[in-house]
Amino acid sequence: MKNVSFRNDVLPLKNELFRLALRITLDRADAEDVVQETMIKVWSKRDSWDDIDNVEAFSMTICRNLALDHAKRRENDNERLDADNVREPVAPSDPFEQTVNQDRVQMVRRIVDSLPEKQRSCIQLRDFEGKQYKEIATILTITEEQVKVNIFRARQTIKQKFLEAEAFHAKHRESK
């Protein structure tokens, strides 16, 4: 990519980088640190920006690797995502329905948080960031086929665990 500008090409990626780092580290402070380290690393490579085909993929790859390092250092203590970073669905006017929907969103968050790292990253990049399979493959340094498999398995796991939890809660409500 020619004429890469830190201000115009790299800085606008900070929110995407943060969301990716947060999905991997599951910790807001670590994710912020990862984004800062990513920006520093990308800046330090400014002399070779002209040789980089896709500065976004380059930045995302650095971010992912740093986030994985942070997660390993913290021994992946499985902390949860902050509610601030996930958009809530439009709430119905009925307070009971609002509570049920909030519980379901929290359940899906917990399920996504429990996925293996590669599946979690693929879901984040595809479903939350809207990236194409090819871009995800480049960022995660895996094949497009592996991306598709990871997304398929992640969605299947989310669906299965969600349905199991819903059935458990329905059975529990009936017994009361």
Side-chain angles (χ1 to χ4, degrees):
M1 178 178 249
K2 302 294 179 203
N3 298 324
V4 175
S5 160
F6 189 80
R7 180 179 304 202
N8 296 327
D9 298 316
V10 179
L11 269 181
L13 300 174
K14 69 180 173 20
N15 290 334
E16 281 183 65
L17 295 170
F18 176 77
R19 289 189 297 267
L20 175 62
L22 185 61
R23 273 286 172 216
I24 294 170
T25 64
L26 301 174
D27 182 82
R28 188 175 192 81
D30 277 352
E32 290 170 354
D33 290 346
V34 166
V35 171
Q36 185 172 2
E37 288 177 44
T38 300
M39 293 294 182
I40 291 169
K41 276 200 177 228
V42 171
W43 177 254
S44 70
K45 300 283 187 186
R46 66 188 174 279
D47 294 336
S48 59
W49 282 352
D50 289 340
D51 301 329
I52 298 170
D53 291 330
N54 184 336
V55 75
E56 180 180 2
F58 177 73
S59 300
M60 297 289 266
T61 302
I62 290 173
C63 180
R64 176 183 177 270
N65 292 338
L66 289 171
L68 288 171
D69 290 346
H70 269 260
K72 285 177 188 168
R73 269 183 278 176
R74 294 195 70 215
E75 297 175 350
N76 199 9
D77 61 359
N78 293 325
E79 293 179 28
R80 301 292 169 227
L81 284 173
D82 291 335
D84 310 345
N85 299 309
V86 180
R87 284 181 236 128
E88 298 288 336
V90 177
S93 57
D94 178 21
F96 177 75
E97 281 298 314
Q98 286 178 342
T99 303
V100 169
N101 283 345
Q102 288 172 351
D103 289 346
R104 287 178 176 152
V105 168
Q106 289 300 320
M107 185 183 346
V108 170
R109 281 188 191 136
R110 285 190 300 273
I111 294 168
V112 170
D113 288 349
S114 72
L115 292 171
E117 183 278 323
K118 273 230 169 53
Q119 290 180 11
R120 202 170 56 231
S121 294
C122 286
I123 285 288
Q124 170 69 26
L125 292 168
R126 178 70 179 169
D127 294 341
F128 297 101
E129 303 297 334
K131 301 286 183 207
Q132 299 298 317
Y133 293 122
K134 187 174 184 174
E135 291 176 288
I136 297 169
T138 302
I139 291 166
L140 301 180
T141 61
I142 58 178
T143 66
E144 283 186 61
E145 192 59 37
Q146 289 172 314
V147 170
K148 292 175 186 177
V149 167
N150 278 304
I151 290 171
F152 175 79
R153 288 181 180 162
R155 288 176 179 163
Q156 289 296 105
T157 301
I158 292 166
K159 179 180 177 182
Q160 178 187 0
K161 287 185 177 183
F162 182 82
L163 292 174
E164 287 171 2
E166 284 285 296
F168 174 81
H169 291 302
K171 188 176 182 179
H172 187 265
R173 283 190 296 269
E174 289 174 5
S175 67
K176 282 189 174 183

